[in-house]
Amino acid sequence: MSVLDDIVAGVREDLAVRQARTPLAEVRAQLADVDPARDPMPAFRAPGLSLIAEVKRRSPSKGALADIPDPAALATAYAAGGADAISVLTEERRFSGSLADLYAVRAAVPTPILRKDFIVTEYQLLEARAGGADLALLIVAALDDAALADLYATARGLGLTVLVEVHDEDEVERALAVGTELLGVNARNLKTLEVDPDAFGRLAALVPDGIVKVAESGIGGPSDAGRFAAQGADVALVGEALVKDGDPTSAVAAIRNAGGAR
């Protein structure tokens, strides 16, 4: 079993517990009280490098990264630095996240929010929207073609912007086949946790103009962000470097500025 398979198995177990506690119909009913989703795409398409700043406590590859007792305060610091969107990791077992973090961040900032998780069912998309998320992540490696297409359509029907994540050439083709407008290249292979520093440049060259390209993983600071921007990244998604920085507001601003004037 790969690392990704193990993570998804755990996600499904935790999901079953939540579904037993809160039926699908109840989650769907919660949507009536949620404001319309915010659209991050105009900011992502603007000149220069946009930034998705991530609330991230730990990772399978690095272990504990940062103690984040108040995710709302961290999100507020990110917003002050000019983050174009804020990613909130909600996976519990490997990343120590929760839906409570999503709710806390949503209450604290007006910035578009990405629910970052291993989404494999409609229920999770409804949870995301009910929690005030504006974007959702779909990982191509975790889904077959039918599930990817179905979840993509469901997310768009809910008003969510979908970040479709790829790791290799075949996955780029699969992402393009569902009509994605926001494609993320994760340099970290989720099956082995190895990082390929050349992945973004290689795969971005396969993505047609007009599709917003997001560089994920391997961004340790402004110099890395500038390198990815030069390779065609429109957006950088950064977690570890920001949560470990003592001044997240300045760190956000520095990474955005590394991509050129906006």
Side-chain angles (χ1 to χ4, degrees):
M1 179 181 287
S2 72
V3 175
L4 178 60
D5 291 335
D6 185 57
I7 292 173
V8 170
V11 164
R12 288 188 181 278
E13 290 178 9
D14 295 338
L15 175 60
V17 173
R18 296 199 305 277
Q19 286 180 300
R21 184 173 61 237
T22 309
L24 179 66
E26 187 175 329
V27 177
R28 193 182 296 278
Q30 294 171 6
L31 300 180
D33 299 322
V34 180
D35 292 335
R38 297 157 176 81
D39 183 3
M41 295 301 283
F44 290 171
R45 293 187 185 280
L49 184 69
S50 296
L51 177 64
I52 302 173
E54 191 157 83
V55 177
K56 183 177 186 179
R57 291 187 172 88
R58 63 181 295 117
S59 74
S61 61
K62 299 290 186 68
L65 298 175
D67 180 28
I68 305 175
D70 188 351
L74 179 58
T76 300
Y78 285 162
D84 300 282
I86 295 172
S87 170
V88 180
L89 268 157
T90 58
E91 196 278 333
E92 300 176 27
R93 300 189 183 201
R94 297 296 191 101
F95 294 88
S96 298
S98 70
L99 285 166
D101 289 346
L102 178 66
Y103 277 90
V105 171
R106 174 73 292 157
V109 297
T111 312
I113 295 175
L114 165 68
R115 181 188 182 182
K116 185 98 174 288
D117 210 317
F118 297 80
I119 292 175
V120 291
T121 69
E122 175 191 20
Y123 187 92
Q124 292 164 288
L125 293 172
L126 290 167
E127 283 182 321
R129 189 77 275 276
D134 310 289
L135 304 92
L137 176 72
L138 293 181
I139 301 172
V140 174
L143 303 165
D144 61 28
D145 287 343
L148 177 61
D150 183 58
L151 290 172
Y152 185 88
T154 298
R156 296 299 295 134
L158 291 169
L160 291 162
T161 298
V162 186
L163 172 58
V164 181
E165 180 177 293
V166 304
H167 304 85
D168 60 32
E169 289 79 358
D170 177 64
E171 291 179 10
V172 171
E173 291 187 15
R174 295 177 60 204
L176 296 177
V178 299
T180 186
E181 297 180 355
L182 183 63
L183 187 147
V185 175
N186 192 343
R188 187 178 300 282
N189 184 321
L190 294 179
K191 296 180 180 179
T192 64
L193 299 184
E194 295 177 355
V195 173
D196 177 0
D198 299 320
F200 181 83
R202 185 177 71 252
L203 300 183
L206 305 177
V207 181
D209 292 341
I211 294 175
V212 174
K213 296 178 284 294
V214 184
E216 305 176 41
S217 296
I219 303 173
S223 61
D224 292 325
R227 175 168 57 86
F228 285 123
Q231 293 175 352
D234 303 294
V235 186
L237 193 158
V238 185
E240 179 182 349
L242 297 179
V243 300
K244 294 173 74 172
D245 194 290
D247 186 352
T249 296
S250 295
V252 165
I255 288 175
R256 288 179 84 250
N257 291 338
R262 296 179 63 88

